[in-house]
Amino acid sequence: MLRRLATGLVVLWAAATAAYLALLAAPGDTVDSIIGEGADTPLIRSQIIREWNLDRPALVQYLDYLWRAAQGDLGRSYLLQRPVRDVIADQIGPTLTLAVTAAGLGIVLALVLAVTTRRPWARRVSSTTELVLVSTPSFLIGIVLLSVFSFSLGWFPVSGDQGVAALVLPAVTLALPVAGVLTQVLRDGLDRALDEPFVVTARARGLGERAVLVRHALRHALLPVITLIGWLFGVLLGGAVIIETVFGRPGLGQVTLQAVTSEDLPVVLAVVVFSAFVYVVINTLADLAYLVIDPRLRRS
Amino acid sequence: MSELLVSVRDLHVTFPHRGGDVHAVRGIDLDIHRGECLAIVGESGSGKSVTARTLVGLAGPNAQVRSSRFEIDGRPGPFDWPKLRGGFVGLVMQDALVSLDPLRTVGAEISEVLKVHDIGDRKDRPARVRALLTAVHVPEPERRAAHRPHQLSGGLRQRALIASAIAAKPPLLIADEPTTALDVTVQAQILDLLAERRSTGETLLLISHDLAVVARLADRVLVMRDGQVVESGPTSSLLAAPEHPYTRQLLAAVPSAASRGRRLSAPAEPLAAAPASASAEVVVEAVGLRKRYGAHTVVDGVDLTVRRGEIVGLVGESGSGKTTVAQLLFGLTAPTSGTVAFEGAPWTGLKERRRRSRRRRLQLISQDPLSGFDPRWTVRRIVEEALPSVPAAELLERVGLGADVLDRYPRQLSGGQRQRVAIARALAPRPSLIICDEPVSALDVSVQAQVLDLLADIRAADGTALLFISHDLGVVHHLADRVLVMRDGAVVESGPVDDVFHHPQHEYTRALIDAVPTLEVSR
Amino acid sequence: SGSGGTDSAAAGEPVSGGALTWAVETEPITLNPHQYAQAKARLLVWNNFESLLTHDDKGGYVPWLASGYEASADGLTYTVKLRTGVTFSDGTVFDAAAVKANIDQLLADGYAPAVAAVQLKNLKSVEVVDASTIKYNLTTPDVLILDFLSSPQGAIVSPKSLKEAKNLKAGGTDLAGTGPFVLDRYTPGQELHYKRNPSYRDRPAYLDEVTYRFLKESSVRVGALTSGQVQVIEGVPATDQAQITGNPALTLSKGLNSGSAYSYYFNVTHAPFDDIRVRQAFRDALDVDTVLQGVYRGTATRAWSVIGPTSPLYDKTLEGTYGGDAARANATLDAAGWNNKDADGYRVKDGKRLTVRLVQSAPFVRDRREILAQAVQAAVKQSAGIDLRVSVVDQGTAAAALEKGEYEVFDNSRADTDAGAALNLLLASNGAINRLGVQDKAIDGLLEKGQAAQEAAERVDVYKRLQQKVIADDSLILPLYAPADQIASSKKVGGLQFEPTAGVPGSAYTVWLSK
Amino acid sequence: MTIALDRPLSLRLRRPSGGGVAAAAGFLVLALVAAATPSLFAGDPLAADPLHVLEAPSAAHWFGTDQLGRDVFDRVVHGARHSLLIGVVATGIAVSIGLLLGLLAGLSHKYADEALSRSFDALSAFPLLLLALLFVAVAGPGTVGLVIAIGIATMPNYARVVRTQTLVVRQAGYVTQAVAFGDSRPRLVFRHVLPNVLGPVPVLAVIGLGEAILAAAGLSFLGMGPQPPSPEWGAMLSEGRGYLSVAWWTTVLPGVVVTLTVISLTVVGRRLQRRFEGRLG
Ligand SMILES: Nc1ncnc2c1ncn2[C@@H]1O[C@H](COP(=O)(O)OP(=O)(O)OP(=O)(O)O)[C@@H](O)[C@H]1O
Ligand SMILES: Nc1ncnc2c1ncn2[C@@H]1O[C@H](COP(=O)(O)OP(=O)(O)OP(=O)(O)O)[C@@H](O)[C@H]1O
Ligand SMILES: [Mg+2]
Ligand SMILES: [Mg+2]
């Protein structure tokens, strides 16, 4: 566990440093970023440099950044003039709600589909649909859903973050491709598990098909799904940026996009560190889940 | 005549396949009477398992089953399979080690049967599970019920599997190769268990490729080959006077003390005389070999000498360190302490670069030859790589393979062919020692017979020394000149084979020998 | 029309009460009026803040929080009389000390460098004469001080909040103003919520509350309006306007912005635009009307000068004097030595292609200006073999390109209420965004005169001369269109207005919701 | 981003049907030919016609026209070149770096392996989109930044597969056997390890290509890709989006082509994968 923690920290540090270096290498200097479209005179520049302590050597700035980040102080946004922590804290809710709902929806959908579509024709229909979902850009799905169910039929609000209704379309958009991949993995896992000798044994005991599927095969099929959790995280966080754009939802994605395009260094770094943090946490959880589901890996 | 539990006539099972259907069972007749023990024997792929599985309606998802009569418990089909399975017929699957769900506890697996067949209520199931585990002699049943398969040894797993098969008290128990993959001592215990159930009047359909196992338990025997029954009859008369040549061949191919000095594949011919003598030069000498992995000492002070032209057997139960000794000799792992000298010169402790030139004099044949071949290479390339100066066909001829296999990939060969290619490759550089780690344990008796004969021939012709690792005492007794018995990493006994096997000094050796089922047949 | 109300006949007489939801395109990066930098955020500012003066619809100034003002004859002193009986929503009294506190804050180090450096450039000091009188002393005559006094940056924030606000520069609910509404909730990324200021000194606002939701995507905004989730939206792109006008329950109105027109500025510091003939040819090669028609489907207003057509300083005589003459463009280019063509059909001279680069900064591209650029690109290629390279890049890259002079065309529009303020930045030799690179004494002189001129007629005359010089004589600029704001709303909404002069949507003060 | 984007490469799936594979392969061939010689199939993708903007699909304009009156079909065909090239180059970067680092990790000692594996982890901790955004911040929007971003972001997938495969091959019996014949270390690596590690890579690359194309589309959609007027598919989708309510064809039809391409790549890749696995038993 201690080892995990250590590697987690290393990953965090590496991610933060990589991002820091990347942004340092970006064209245009920090002062330009802070000025944005505003007026630009030597006086203004010097004031900005003084205000943000930009006259210190790069290494000092970096170390200072690390030191303060370690204490949970992520600095202030150049653009929004607010503490980065507040910026992130404000936006995390909607993104989290979206991601968690989509993940839940995707997983449930995948489970239901994988278990119910066992007959040849059903699985053919289902796997074709999955392939299409997985191969379609998610924003296209979102745009089409939005046009049909919101603009034309008016069943769901167009955007925003109020109430469950506004969550439906974005969550579905994000969940569909997730469900597509997970169904494929689950179905494949089920097929493999059903080929295993212990399944024949289970049948030989008089177990019905459904029971074999749910009680025996499903747990085995879930194992590869757990290894996908890291991937799922990337999809959800990355997908959120696009989904939030398409549906005009607030959230971390919007903050990130804005921060990157306007080179709001503190915010970008915070998002990177945050996302690396979530990644580490999620992967640790996945490992734990693995131990719960597969006792073979537990140390005796 | 007693009551017929199962009666089948002219059973055919076909698996449709793109490259041509596999006709696994071709018109066999089968009757199982209440209270008897019927055995099916035959080489691998002869259709034994398919037959057994067909009896519980699990021939396979796309199997086509035909028969002129198929009656279970006196009634013709269609059957209510879920009810019959476990309830009327208990099945112990062939792959004992992987036939329990690895993610569930043994107790859950067993009580699942009770639940499906509505036996007892929820509350008293744990007690029943405990009783069942006790009945199959699982020690500490309470604790074991909460364990998962990976926490159990092979023997315990097989017992738990049997417990789950008999949980619903089915009148008929089918045991498909219940002892393969188990150590001899454990195998003996499982056979005892089955014999015990037999004696309580249970009906048993026993499937095995090992005639010795069958001889001990069965009342009647069916001999299968290529999906057909070639011979059947009461055990004693069939073993005493086999009528079909195939049955005879099968019996003759079993290596044992009795077969020493004779060919197994052609019983009439004697083997070429062994050139070995106690004064021949020493090929490899290991002194005080010790290997630790962490706190675990895997090899514990092994001394070993192999002389030119000698076959030295290394036996011991699983995990006793045999393979590790082989690796230490081969020089892939360094010993924690102790030294190995090869052909009179130091071998351990050298840099790999310094050993490279002598490498070819020391060859290795493993249990699974497939993994020893680069999957992208044809047989020709594999063999030519070993000795480019000689045409591959010539090398293959020595091991009895025709030129037709030259352009095949290893995967396209049968197990016996693969092992021959492995031998051909090992022989090519004219090594002074070949380390054989369980070279025949994955092979059928008849194929095994051919490979063993081949190894004996090579030793006789080239004077190549062999270190022959096996858990099969019969094989070692048949082939080796001297034997070392290992237990827990240490050699507990060693000496000429006949001395050790006929007059074992160590109690562990004795236990090993007692556990081997033997076939008392006249040849 | 630069100002005035929208068609609110359907909404009947003003009624009090109700809650309105208004979808806006842009989330303000700050809610502190002193830090105001986005024209699109202006309609929010005036809900809870007010400044001393405001614009009338003829470009003049009228008192608002002030009760009157007068300038000294030398133009160096402005004395402003303040209204009495006004309080901030946090209970603090509005008086001259409060106004001075705001100016002091603005001049504080690092607080609002842009305001200090530009708008208050010529301010020497402020004096509190008495509780309701304040005096601004200038170093040189500068009529633009009045523009400052009527701008969001000049809005008066409660001195108490200036001291106590948690994130002063970001602003928020803890910043109190004197306006008709009070900001009581801000959900970043989502919405701003104002409720009526019950103690407003005048007629209270009609609406009980108003919510501004941030919907960046135009299609989403239009969808929200047509499906009834919001009652008002601003920012309706040309292609979506038919959807509004075709819907009997909705109305659309448009206001032309003040400030500078959206124009292409030619970089004269190096080839090829250091040659006036190439600049003329570029303008002649382009038929602006056709391009605008294609991109904006007839909804855009063509600009002829760098100053927007609604400004009192606009020079109407420039209309129709240039452009849309491919033959002349080609002739001029031939004469200028660009008389060969390469395999791709572009003109070359001395082996160099006639390539000019336009670098657009992605975060600031609006009104489909990138599409417009593509249309211009296609047009100048077809008609005159000019290779216009358009790149939309992030802000850092854009800034770097501009810094290094790696561009030939610079595009910009400014929404300053006083066009003169915009031109100071764009055309003066030391202008902060003089991307033309012009260093011209004549231009600088005219700009200074314009800033000092107290008489309206004199100002108009100075700026006309300036426009003649930069547009007609020197061909420095290619004006394209006058930026406009659109408001679409349900017909139940009345009193929607565009701010006089600024031409941007007004605050919610005048808006009501019929029952 | 998008979703399928960092779909795990090790995903092993089964049974595409025969007809489907043929259709997919046919479509791919068509796409490749179109990418190689777009002018054979379509007119000038940049020819704007202000008088015929946003016209619905017709015999003259199969996919309709866009906001500048350009023929959407022409643009889609020419877009194949951009999108496939982006995909191929990005995948090429990912595969070559991934292969190198994966081999290095698989062959080197514990600590170097650990360090490399952790760096793969650190890279995976960035969702692709975030990584791409960072790269775009550095390199600026446009094809180069996009390609590098996708290449780097998908690299760990390949590196991990290659590393695992290297570890497996390193342990394989035939490597031991080769030692028995006195093969030197470089000989082992080049004759046995490398060829066997390489085996699954082309197949992974085919499937990865589809993902790279989707990723590129997602990033272009956010304006991080090739700049207008280049007819890249993602950029077309992004431009068309604003006109969805009046001209669905500018978005939906290019979208369908993207989807078909990715499906085809996936189907063909899986078929190859099955064959490959079949060959190795
Ligand atoms: N599901 C299946 N599909 C296709 N062929 C099968 C299937 N099951 C078995 N076979 C084939 O049927 C034949 C008989 O198989 P079976 O398992 O009964 O052999 P066996 O006698 O039990 O051999 P072993 O001793 O190796 O267990 C073999 O050739 C096998 O390949
Ligand atoms: N690399 C290793 N690290 C740790 N333990 C090992 C390693 N290799 C072997 N062992 C342990 O050493 C013991 C002996 O293993 P070895 O393979 O030599 O047994 P064996 O006699 O060949 O058994 P079998 O008959 O099953 O092949 C086992 O307990 C095994 O788990
Ligand atoms: Mg079998
Ligand atoms: Mg072993």
Side-chain angles (χ1 to χ4, degrees), chain A residues 275-295:
Chain A
S275 115
F277 176 74
V278 175
Y279 175 84
V280 168
V281 168
I282 283 188
N283 274 300
T284 309
L285 288 182
D287 286 355
L288 291 180
Y290 229 109
L291 289 187
V292 171
I293 295 193
D294 192 348

Short mmCIF file of all heavy atoms in Angstrom, two decimals, chain A residues 275-295:
data_model
loop_
_atom_site.label_atom_id
_atom_site.label_comp_id
_atom_site.label_asym_id
_atom_site.label_seq_id
_atom_site.Cartn_x
_atom_site.Cartn_y
_atom_site.Cartn_z
N SER A 275 -6.37 15.80 -12.45
CA SER A 275 -6.72 14.63 -13.24
C SER A 275 -5.76 13.48 -12.96
O SER A 275 -6.16 12.32 -12.86
CB SER A 275 -6.79 15.00 -14.72
OG SER A 275 -5.80 14.36 -15.45
N ALA A 276 -4.48 13.82 -12.73
CA ALA A 276 -3.54 12.76 -12.36
C ALA A 276 -3.92 12.17 -11.01
O ALA A 276 -3.85 10.96 -10.80
CB ALA A 276 -2.12 13.32 -12.31
N PHE A 277 -4.37 13.03 -10.13
CA PHE A 277 -4.78 12.57 -8.80
C PHE A 277 -5.95 11.60 -8.91
O PHE A 277 -5.94 10.51 -8.35
CB PHE A 277 -5.16 13.79 -7.95
CG PHE A 277 -5.69 13.45 -6.60
CD1 PHE A 277 -4.84 13.00 -5.60
CD2 PHE A 277 -7.04 13.56 -6.32
CE1 PHE A 277 -5.33 12.67 -4.36
CE2 PHE A 277 -7.54 13.23 -5.07
CZ PHE A 277 -6.68 12.79 -4.09
N VAL A 278 -6.95 12.00 -9.68
CA VAL A 278 -8.11 11.13 -9.85
C VAL A 278 -7.69 9.81 -10.48
O VAL A 278 -8.12 8.74 -10.07
CB VAL A 278 -9.18 11.82 -10.73
CG1 VAL A 278 -10.33 10.87 -11.01
CG2 VAL A 278 -9.68 13.06 -10.04
N TYR A 279 -6.78 9.92 -11.44
CA TYR A 279 -6.30 8.70 -12.12
C TYR A 279 -5.66 7.75 -11.11
O TYR A 279 -5.96 6.56 -11.08
CB TYR A 279 -5.30 9.10 -13.19
CG TYR A 279 -4.62 7.95 -13.89
CD1 TYR A 279 -5.24 7.34 -14.98
CD2 TYR A 279 -3.38 7.50 -13.48
CE1 TYR A 279 -4.63 6.29 -15.63
CE2 TYR A 279 -2.76 6.45 -14.14
CZ TYR A 279 -3.38 5.86 -15.21
OH TYR A 279 -2.77 4.82 -15.86
N VAL A 280 -4.80 8.31 -10.28
CA VAL A 280 -4.12 7.48 -9.29
C VAL A 280 -5.14 6.85 -8.34
O VAL A 280 -5.13 5.65 -8.07
CB VAL A 280 -3.08 8.31 -8.51
CG1 VAL A 280 -2.58 7.55 -7.30
CG2 VAL A 280 -1.92 8.67 -9.42
N VAL A 281 -6.06 7.68 -7.85
CA VAL A 281 -7.06 7.17 -6.92
C VAL A 281 -7.89 6.07 -7.58
O VAL A 281 -8.09 4.98 -7.02
CB VAL A 281 -7.98 8.32 -6.44
CG1 VAL A 281 -9.19 7.76 -5.71
CG2 VAL A 281 -7.19 9.26 -5.55
N ILE A 282 -8.33 6.34 -8.79
CA ILE A 282 -9.19 5.37 -9.46
C ILE A 282 -8.47 4.07 -9.71
O ILE A 282 -9.02 2.98 -9.53
CB ILE A 282 -9.73 5.98 -10.77
CG1 ILE A 282 -10.85 6.95 -10.43
CG2 ILE A 282 -10.24 4.90 -11.70
CD1 ILE A 282 -11.58 7.46 -11.61
N ASN A 283 -7.20 4.18 -10.10
CA ASN A 283 -6.47 2.94 -10.35
C ASN A 283 -6.23 2.15 -9.08
O ASN A 283 -6.26 0.93 -9.08
CB ASN A 283 -5.16 3.23 -11.07
CG ASN A 283 -5.37 3.30 -12.56
OD1 ASN A 283 -5.81 2.32 -13.15
ND2 ASN A 283 -5.12 4.43 -13.15
N THR A 284 -6.02 2.89 -7.99
CA THR A 284 -5.88 2.19 -6.72
C THR A 284 -7.19 1.48 -6.37
O THR A 284 -7.20 0.32 -5.96
CB THR A 284 -5.52 3.19 -5.61
OG1 THR A 284 -4.40 3.96 -6.06
CG2 THR A 284 -5.16 2.48 -4.34
N LEU A 285 -8.28 2.19 -6.56
CA LEU A 285 -9.59 1.58 -6.29
C LEU A 285 -9.80 0.35 -7.17
O LEU A 285 -10.30 -0.68 -6.72
CB LEU A 285 -10.71 2.59 -6.54
CG LEU A 285 -10.82 3.69 -5.50
CD1 LEU A 285 -11.98 4.61 -5.82
CD2 LEU A 285 -11.01 3.09 -4.12
N ALA A 286 -9.37 0.48 -8.44
CA ALA A 286 -9.55 -0.66 -9.34
C ALA A 286 -8.76 -1.86 -8.84
O ALA A 286 -9.26 -2.99 -8.85
CB ALA A 286 -9.08 -0.27 -10.74
N ASP A 287 -7.54 -1.59 -8.35
CA ASP A 287 -6.76 -2.70 -7.81
C ASP A 287 -7.47 -3.35 -6.63
O ASP A 287 -7.50 -4.57 -6.51
CB ASP A 287 -5.38 -2.20 -7.37
CG ASP A 287 -4.49 -1.91 -8.56
OD1 ASP A 287 -4.95 -2.19 -9.69
OD2 ASP A 287 -3.38 -1.41 -8.37
N LEU A 288 -8.03 -2.48 -5.80
CA LEU A 288 -8.75 -3.03 -4.64
C LEU A 288 -9.95 -3.85 -5.11
O LEU A 288 -10.21 -4.94 -4.61
CB LEU A 288 -9.21 -1.89 -3.72
CG LEU A 288 -8.07 -1.17 -3.00
CD1 LEU A 288 -8.61 -0.07 -2.12
CD2 LEU A 288 -7.27 -2.17 -2.17
N ALA A 289 -10.66 -3.30 -6.09
CA ALA A 289 -11.83 -4.02 -6.61
C ALA A 289 -11.40 -5.38 -7.14
O ALA A 289 -12.10 -6.39 -6.97
CB ALA A 289 -12.50 -3.21 -7.71
N TYR A 290 -10.25 -5.38 -7.77
CA TYR A 290 -9.73 -6.64 -8.31
C TYR A 290 -9.57 -7.66 -7.18
O TYR A 290 -9.94 -8.82 -7.30
CB TYR A 290 -8.37 -6.39 -8.94
CG TYR A 290 -8.26 -6.97 -10.30
CD1 TYR A 290 -8.22 -6.15 -11.42
CD2 TYR A 290 -8.20 -8.34 -10.49
CE1 TYR A 290 -8.13 -6.69 -12.68
CE2 TYR A 290 -8.11 -8.88 -11.74
CZ TYR A 290 -8.07 -8.06 -12.83
OH TYR A 290 -7.99 -8.59 -14.08
N LEU A 291 -9.03 -7.16 -6.07
CA LEU A 291 -8.82 -8.06 -4.94
C LEU A 291 -10.15 -8.59 -4.41
O LEU A 291 -10.25 -9.74 -4.01
CB LEU A 291 -8.08 -7.33 -3.83
CG LEU A 291 -6.61 -7.02 -4.12
CD1 LEU A 291 -5.95 -6.45 -2.89
CD2 LEU A 291 -5.89 -8.28 -4.57
N VAL A 292 -11.15 -7.73 -4.42
CA VAL A 292 -12.45 -8.16 -3.91
C VAL A 292 -13.03 -9.23 -4.82
O VAL A 292 -13.51 -10.27 -4.38
CB VAL A 292 -13.41 -6.96 -3.80
CG1 VAL A 292 -14.82 -7.43 -3.49
CG2 VAL A 292 -12.91 -6.01 -2.73
N ILE A 293 -12.96 -8.96 -6.14
CA ILE A 293 -13.60 -9.90 -7.06
C ILE A 293 -12.76 -11.15 -7.26
O ILE A 293 -13.27 -12.25 -7.35
CB ILE A 293 -13.85 -9.20 -8.41
CG1 ILE A 293 -14.87 -8.08 -8.20
CG2 ILE A 293 -14.40 -10.20 -9.42
CD1 ILE A 293 -15.42 -7.55 -9.47
N ASP A 294 -11.44 -10.96 -7.33
CA ASP A 294 -10.59 -12.11 -7.59
C ASP A 294 -9.70 -12.42 -6.40
O ASP A 294 -8.62 -11.88 -6.25
CB ASP A 294 -9.72 -11.86 -8.82
CG ASP A 294 -9.04 -13.14 -9.28
OD1 ASP A 294 -9.08 -14.12 -8.51
OD2 ASP A 294 -8.49 -13.14 -10.39
N PRO A 295 -10.18 -13.29 -5.53
CA PRO A 295 -9.44 -13.57 -4.29
C PRO A 295 -8.12 -14.26 -4.55
O PRO A 295 -7.27 -14.31 -3.68
CB PRO A 295 -10.36 -14.52 -3.52
CG PRO A 295 -11.55 -14.75 -4.38
CD PRO A 295 -11.32 -14.17 -5.73
#
